[in-house]
Every structure is written in structure tokens, then in C-alpha cells.
Amino acid sequence: DQQVKQNSPSLSVQEGRISILNCDYTNSMFDYFLWYKKYPAEGPTFLISISSIKDKNEDGRFTVFLNKSAKHLSLHIVPSQPGDSAVYFCAARDDYKLSFGAGTTVTVRA
Amino acid sequence: GAGVSQTPSNKVTEKGKYVELRCDPISGHTALYWYRQSLGQGPEFLIYFQGTGAADDSGLPNDRFFAVRPEGSVSTLKIQRTERGDSAVYLCASSTSGGPGHTGELFFGEGSRLTVL
């Protein structure tokens, strides 16, 4: 029973353009949502989070939007840079446990 | 080092053998997690420790899997009678607290890649 879903396995974007990654969830008890970034042969690293009581959080080039009624969140990266090429995981917290989506591989083209 | 350390980084074993994977969390982090990541999937929760005790082991797939954290710091994930389906990257993560009020950010190690032949 997958509670967090990332339906796009991959995304290709030109350098300088916006990357938009999407995530859907089913559990209404999730209170925090996080995005993690993962390079090959490394562990996931935290990127940005948002509380369930907020609808937007911005940190530099990264903005996360939360639509609770639709149980949907998105990550916007603008402008996209070559170093952003990685796998991005959406995660959601229920008490102490994080549930992860399957990830979206982002490739930024020069 | 300052981050979560996992050893070995790679382990190749034969079906039926016993395997131990070690995690050294960030100093002072009371919460420790084990996750498993299979190819093309996101990390899947296995077990959560708060201090020395396993507060939630509901993600362990069966009784061949066991984990300990005897002194509230280093943890060992133990897999008995390994099967080919156990092949995956085993990720350890730690955080300052696992309870309410925490944003949920976990600090992950680089993982131990287990291959069962």
C-alpha cells in the first residue's frame, strides 16, 4: 500500500528553465512533507520541507507547494542547473516515520 | 566524521549465509532508522530505534531480519539465511528526535549495497 506516489519516473529540462516535480499522497495524517535529493552511490540528502499547515515554502531556487485538499505537493526548481541532475524523492511524515515515493530522475541539459 | 557512517559499503554473499550491516549515527542523535531501497524504488522503512529500544520494527519483512542498538549509538542490522530477494541498498539514518514537533528531517548514510548470489 504505497501512501506516497511520484508518477513521473523521469524529467528532462534545459538549463535555466524551471523543473517541476510532482507528488501525491493518500494518508491525511501526514504532518510534514520533505524532498530529498540523491546522487549515485550516495545517501539521500535533505532539500526542503513544508508543514501541513502551510501551502508554500521557499528556499533559494527551491519552492515546495502543498495542496492539502488535493493531497498533492510539488517541487519547483528555478532556474535549473546542471548540478541539479539527480534523483528526487518526495517523503511524508506520520509521527516519527517517513514514507517515500519511488523517485523522479531529473536530467538538466546544457 | 560528522555524518552517518555505514559499513561495509558493499557486501556480496551467497544464498543462505548470515550478514551483518553496521551503522554509526551522528553523535548525539537519539533516533536511528533502517531503510531498504530496491532498484527503481524509494527507501522502504524497516525499523526505528529511540535510544536503545526498537520503538517500531513493523517494517522488517520477516524473522530473518533483526537489528540491535545496545548502547544507544551504533546499530547492527542482521540478516540470517540470506535470499536473493534481500539484495538491495540498506540505508541507515539518524535524527535528533523522532517525536512530535520534529520536522522529520533524517540524515542518511551512503548505504550498504548487499548482493546475494
Side-chain angles (χ1 to χ4, degrees):
Chain A
D1 178 24
Q2 198 172 3
Q3 300 184 72
V4 179
K5 294 184 180 180
Q6 293 176 257
N7 292 318
S8 297
S10 63
L11 172 70
S12 181
V13 64
Q14 193 162 11
E15 183 178 1
R17 297 292 184 96
I18 185 171
S19 295
I20 300 176
L21 292 79
N22 294 300
C23 178
D24 297 294
Y25 63 95
T26 57
N27 186 349
S28 300
M29 298 303 292
F30 289 142
D31 62 351
Y32 268 93
F33 301 89
L34 302 87
W35 286 92
Y36 277 80
K37 178 179 178 179
K38 186 182 183 303
Y39 293 117
E42 295 185 9
T45 56
F46 171 76
L47 193 57
I48 190 169
S49 67
I50 186 168
S51 165
S52 61
I53 63 173
K54 300 283 181 69
D55 55 18
K56 177 182 174 182
N57 187 28
E58 188 173 350
D59 184 2
R61 296 185 298 114
F62 303 92
T63 303
V64 56
F65 296 92
L66 175 63
N67 182 336
K68 281 190 70 175
S69 61
K71 292 191 173 67
H72 177 85
L73 64 154
S74 62
L75 174 68
H76 293 207
I77 308 173
V78 57
S80 299
Q81 298 176 353
D84 296 332
S85 294
V87 179
Y88 290 78
F89 291 102
C90 172
R93 187 184 88 143
D94 179 6
D95 195 3
Y96 52 82
K97 187 188 302 185
L98 289 187
S99 298
F100 286 83
T104 297
T105 300
V106 173
T107 303
V108 180
R109 309 186 309 271
Chain B
V4 177
S5 176
Q6 292 188 246
T7 55
S9 55
N10 278 285
K11 176 70 176 178
V12 180
T13 191
E14 293 180 344
K15 180 176 178 296
K17 298 289 188 181
Y18 170 79
V19 165
E20 286 191 356
L21 307 175
R22 175 190 166 106
C23 173
D24 199 343
I26 293 172
S27 178
H29 281 191
T30 57
L32 184 145
Y33 302 75
W34 284 98
Y35 279 79
R36 176 169 74 173
Q37 186 177 10
S38 301
L39 194 62
Q41 300 297 317
E44 177 188 18
F45 171 80
L46 295 178
I47 187 169
Y48 158 62
F49 287 90
Q50 184 60 251
T52 60
D56 182 351
D57 65 357
S58 63
L60 296 178
N62 50 60
D63 61 6
R64 295 187 297 106
F65 289 75
F66 189 72
V68 295
R69 193 186 186 199
E71 297 178 357
S73 179
V74 171
S75 176
T76 304
L77 178 65
K78 308 180 180 192
I79 311 174
Q80 298 178 323
R81 305 183 303 280
T82 52
E83 299 178 357
R84 291 193 181 89
D86 299 335
S87 297
V89 175
Y90 289 81
L91 293 164
C92 177
S94 69
S95 72
T96 53
S97 171
H102 186 245
T103 61
E105 179 184 351
L106 304 184
F107 296 83
F108 282 88
E110 295 187 349
S112 292
R113 180 176 296 279
L114 175 65
T115 303
V116 182
L117 302 177

